Amino acid sequence: MNIFRLAGDMTHLASVLVLLLKIHTIKSCAGVSLKTQELYAIVFATRYLDILTSFVSIYNTLMKLIFLGSSFSIVWYMKYHKTVRRTYDRDQDTFRHWFLMLPCLLLALLIHEKFTFFEVLWTFSLYLEAVAILPQLVLLQRTRNIDNLTGQYIFLLGGYRGFYILNWIYRYFTEPHYVHWITWIAGLVQTLLYADFFYYYFLSWKNNKKLQLPA
Amino acid sequence: EEEYFDHDEL
């Protein structure tokens, strides 16, 4: 564990807590894409299949449980909670996210580190996470108003993978044979997808204006 | 080597 990875995990944790806080306290999920939340639940479910078989550390297992629990409860809130579900703008959140999953699965079957059931699903979760934010970014461009909790959620979610990139660079230079091209490229693509969001988020913060993504 | 699942990152 290094400071970059810890910062990344804490930023990731903060992003899901900000979203849970928003949904739980103001009982609203306006501006949040259910499609992205469903993709994230699938990302964690396919990433953490080894939670019962391989034990890395208390921290690792605890964080996996938190990410699994939070992502599935966010999906539950948005789909089934009587008050929250009414605030979900389903006619705006129309990204066909199942079309994202198939290419990720095919790519995982083609490009992976080891051709085992767990490893292919783990690689699938990596590719899926890289593109999981797309429905949310599309929704953001459609709904003009972005409340700052949703903006913070996306900012933290994008930032965590940026810290992970620093972690990979650090581990590459400090650990012999630490090379994971697949993880690195997927992580880089994921972070680059946030580039324009980061730009407009920074502008809105600098000019102290509402966050507006160009249509 | 033993078929283990060596992902130590989240």
Side-chain angles (χ1 to χ4, degrees), chain A residues 95-111:
Chain A
F95 197 100
R96 281 189 271 282
H97 57 324
W98 304 116
F99 284 10
L100 283 179
M101 288 175 59
L102 200 60
C104 291
L105 184 59
L106 294 178
L107 195 60
L109 286 166
L110 287 173
I111 305 174

Side-chain angles (χ1 to χ4, degrees), chain A residues 20-21 35 75 80 98 104 110 138 142 161 183 195 199 203 208 211:
Chain A
L20 258 180
L21 184 85
K35 315 267 178 167
V75 170
Y80 305 113
W98 304 116
C104 291
L110 287 173
V138 166
R142 288 191 183 147
R161 214 61 180 165
T183 312
Y199 172 66
L203 283 187
N208 200 2
L211 176 63

Side-chain angles (χ1 to χ4, degrees), chain A residues 114 119 167-168 171 178, chain B residues 3-5 7-10:
Chain A
K114 274 180 292 186
E119 188 65 25
N167 150 65
W168 293 324
R171 291 187 74 176
Y178 182 81
Chain B
E3 258 306 284
Y4 61 90
F5 192 68
H7 296 296
D8 64 343
E9 293 182 349
L10 288 171

Side-chain angles (χ1 to χ4, degrees), chain A residues 126-137:
Chain A
L126 216 57
Y127 296 149
L128 190 62
E129 185 188 2
V131 293
I133 196 61
L134 284 173
Q136 179 63 63
L137 292 179

Side-chain angles (χ1 to χ4, degrees), chain A:
Chain A
M1 173 63 80
N2 58 65
I3 186 63
F4 303 112
R5 183 146 68 106
L6 186 63
D9 290 342
M10 291 305 111
T11 306
H12 193 190
L13 179 64
S15 74
V16 292
L17 294 183
V18 159
L19 186 55
L20 258 180
L21 184 85
K22 165 191 161 89
I23 291 176
H24 181 72
T25 43
I26 58 176
K27 291 289 181 282
S28 161
C29 66
V32 178
S33 163
L34 173 60
K35 315 267 178 167
T36 285
Q37 298 311 314
E38 285 170 342
L39 289 177
Y40 259 97
I42 293 168
V43 165
F44 292 133
T46 50
R47 176 96 42 103
Y48 300 150
L49 291 172
D50 64 336
I51 191 168
L52 300 175
T53 54
S54 84
F55 177 78
V56 176
S57 68
I58 300 274
Y59 169 82
N60 187 273
T61 302
L62 182 66
M63 293 297 279
K64 285 176 177 176
L65 290 172
I66 291 171
F67 286 138
L68 281 166
S70 58
S71 60
F72 278 93
S73 48
I74 286 166
V75 170
W76 178 86
Y77 260 113
M78 294 184 69
K79 280 178 95 92
Y80 305 113
H81 186 280
K82 59 189 182 311
T83 316
V84 175
R85 64 196 298 258
R86 279 204 298 267
T87 62
Y88 167 52
D89 30 10
R90 116 194 19 260
D91 50 1
Q92 294 263 44
D93 188 19
T94 58
F95 197 100
R96 281 189 271 282
H97 57 324
W98 304 116
F99 284 10
L100 283 179
M101 288 175 59
L102 200 60
C104 291
L105 184 59
L106 294 178
L107 195 60
L109 286 166
L110 287 173
I111 305 174
H112 42 260
E113 284 185 9
K114 274 180 292 186
F115 193 68
T116 64
F117 176 73
F118 280 140
E119 188 65 25
V120 168
L121 279 187
W122 183 85
T123 313
F124 164 71
S125 85
L126 216 57
Y127 296 149
L128 190 62
E129 185 188 2
V131 293
I133 196 61
L134 284 173
Q136 179 63 63
L137 292 179
V138 166
L139 178 65
L140 227 46
Q141 297 201 334
R142 288 191 183 147
T143 54
R144 300 303 296 156
N145 69 323
I146 302 160
D147 66 273
N148 49 23
L149 273 174
T150 308
Q152 274 155 13
Y153 161 68
I154 299 172
F155 177 73
L156 292 166
L157 193 56
Y160 111 83
R161 214 61 180 165
F163 279 122
Y164 257 75
I165 290 172
L166 299 179
N167 150 65
W168 293 324
I169 294 169
Y170 176 83
R171 291 187 74 176
Y172 175 76
F173 287 111
T174 54
E175 293 173 32
H177 320 303
Y178 182 81
V179 178
H180 290 286
W181 284 109
I182 293 175
T183 312
W184 298 345
I185 293 170
L188 194 62
V189 166
Q190 177 173 338
T191 309
L192 292 176
L193 283 178
Y194 288 78
D196 70 326
F197 171 82
F198 283 144
Y199 172 66
Y200 290 108
Y201 191 82
F202 171 71
L203 283 187
S204 77
W205 169 77
K206 194 161 67 76
N207 312 330
N208 200 2
K209 283 197 337 281
K210 281 288 282 175
L211 176 63
Q212 299 263 328
L213 291 191

